[in-house]
Amino acid sequence: MNRLAPLVLLIFILPLPALEIRLNDNFFDNYSDESLRELSYRLPYGEEKGVFLHELLPLMEDLRGFRFYSGEYRLETELTEDLRVVTNEDQIYLRGEGIGSLFLPDSIELEGKEREPDPLLIWFDSRDAHMERELSLFAALHHRDIEFRVDPGIVSLLEYNIFNDRTVPDLIVFSGEKQNALSPLLNEERQKEPVPYKFSRTVYLSGSTYGENQIIAADFSDLNMLYPLALHYGLKEPFSVDDPALFETLTYLRNLYRAGAYRISSDYPEDFISGRADRYFGMSTVFKELPGNPISLEERFPLLPGETPPPLKVSILLGIPRGSGSKETAEDLIAYLTGYGVQQRIDPETGYLPADKSVYSLLENNRSKDILLYELDKAVELNSGDMIEKLRFVLKKIIRLVINGRITIEQGIGEIGNYLDQ
């Protein structure tokens, strides 16, 4: 088990506090002008830059009073979601629909019961450095401890712990491919449906060998790669092994293999990164592993008639499991992670775009962003379901045997159909 201790940031120890936060007449935290500017991001109000006030305040179970103090001046008001600290002007202001625009007060006081500060337990199905930084900031701002665990077998682990009354996390972070298996394990009253946080997509890249080694590095036994190809050939919903598009897709892949333009590999991203293959078709998460900027290839696949297959999106989702002991805090954390500030800090160079499309214009312009946005309006997502899970499993067993000719296309389709009918 790892622990995310609150960040010891310079912004929290700078002198000359500009704003003090008090809870029930006791000191909670303070912020200098510099620290507020460090925390700022572009707000959804014209050109304003700053931070929403609720991100700086304690998490409350019951709020009975909320007031500002500036010298002898006192203002009692309501804590609304639009209250914000605006920092991109000569003076720092507090703004909101109910109060208009005020110079930043000397102090803010809350009265009521703070939520119990129990450690928040979070499970990931894969390591996510960006989210860990955001969790650490959330912990620091709200004076919370966050513990986390990374386990690729999050489905079986969560299922085992729930049904054996063992430790259950307060929040799970997982790939959308696991949604069908995890949905029955989510809390029925709160956040029953998982919430999208960010997504990666399939990309077609070239340039690792500057045009030599004209081989595509890909894993077409992965449904994420096979499905866009099948859509290109006219695959219809719902999926059926009798759809002619499946036969045409497998015929194309076998011809690609026979032409020497594709070879089966146990580590296809490394084939592209190292230069053993000049082309890459896979998930955009490869960006963070590339030694240089990725190069998008807008031409069609070799031997493939028509346009390049549509991109396929895979979302990273947030869910609250059954048995969570800190449901309200988990909800606050989900709101923070999907909020305007965190969303615009998601870096396309990691291979992800934020779930909130409204922040795309605020993301730094670079080659990674351009590639991720390319033809995104044509992107598709696979519906989560039992049949899709079974299809993912059986394709891993069958497709490579079809491509390398160890079984015929008809035999492969028959095996897929037999497994899906079980």
Side-chain angles (χ1 to χ4, degrees), residues 201-206 215-230 232 249 252-253 256 261-262 268-269 271-272 277-286 295 297 299-302 304 308-312 380:
R201 54 159 286 181
T202 51
V203 290
Y204 186 36
L205 308 176
S206 74
I215 296 172
I216 294 179
D219 180 8
F220 290 108
S221 68
D222 184 339
L223 182 59
N224 288 356
M225 312 309 143
L226 187 72
Y227 191 75
L229 273 178
H232 171 84
T249 300
Y252 164 74
L253 290 175
L256 194 68
Y262 170 66
Y268 73 95
D271 288 346
F272 178 70
D278 190 67
R279 302 169 184 234
Y280 170 89
F281 181 59
M283 299 310 297
S284 53
T285 49
V286 75
I295 301 172
L297 194 65
E299 66 185 65
R300 64 177 182 264
F301 283 30
L304 187 70
T308 300
L312 181 138
V380 295

Side-chain angles (χ1 to χ4, degrees), residues 1 39 56 88 127 134 181 291 293 324 327 368 385 389 397:
M1 186 73 67
L39 289 167
L56 310 177
N88 63 327
R127 195 69 183 262
E134 293 295 347
N293 291 327
S324 165
K327 301 178 186 68
S368 297
E389 284 191 19
K397 306 291 185 181

Side-chain angles (χ1 to χ4, degrees), residues 168-181:
V168 174
D170 301 299
L171 182 72
I172 52 174
V173 183
F174 59 96
S175 169
E177 297 171 2
K178 300 182 176 75
Q179 180 176 353
N180 183 61

Side-chain angles (χ1 to χ4, degrees), residues 374-386:
Y374 178 70
E375 293 194 334
L376 191 59
D377 58 323
K378 300 178 181 178
V380 295
E381 287 189 82
L382 280 167
N383 295 324
S384 181
D386 292 340

Side-chain angles (χ1 to χ4, degrees), residues 96-113:
E97 186 174 340
I99 65 168
S101 184
L102 304 173
F103 287 121
L104 187 70
D106 299 326
S107 65
I108 292 176
E109 177 144 340
L110 299 90
E111 285 184 7
K113 183 178 180 182

Side-chain angles (χ1 to χ4, degrees), residues 29 60 110 121 130 174 178 181 192 225 227 256 263-264 285 296 317 319 371 381 383:
D29 215 328
M60 302 296 291
L110 299 90
L121 179 58
H130 170 267
F174 59 96
K178 300 182 176 75
K192 174 62 177 174
M225 312 309 143
Y227 191 75
L256 194 68
R263 63 167 173 247
I264 296 171
T285 49
S296 179
L317 303 174
I371 293 174
E381 287 189 82
N383 295 324

Side-chain angles (χ1 to χ4, degrees), residues 190-203:
R190 297 178 182 273
Q191 299 288 0
K192 174 62 177 174
E193 291 298 322
V195 178
Y197 167 61
K198 61 183 178 181
F199 66 88
S200 59
R201 54 159 286 181
T202 51
V203 290

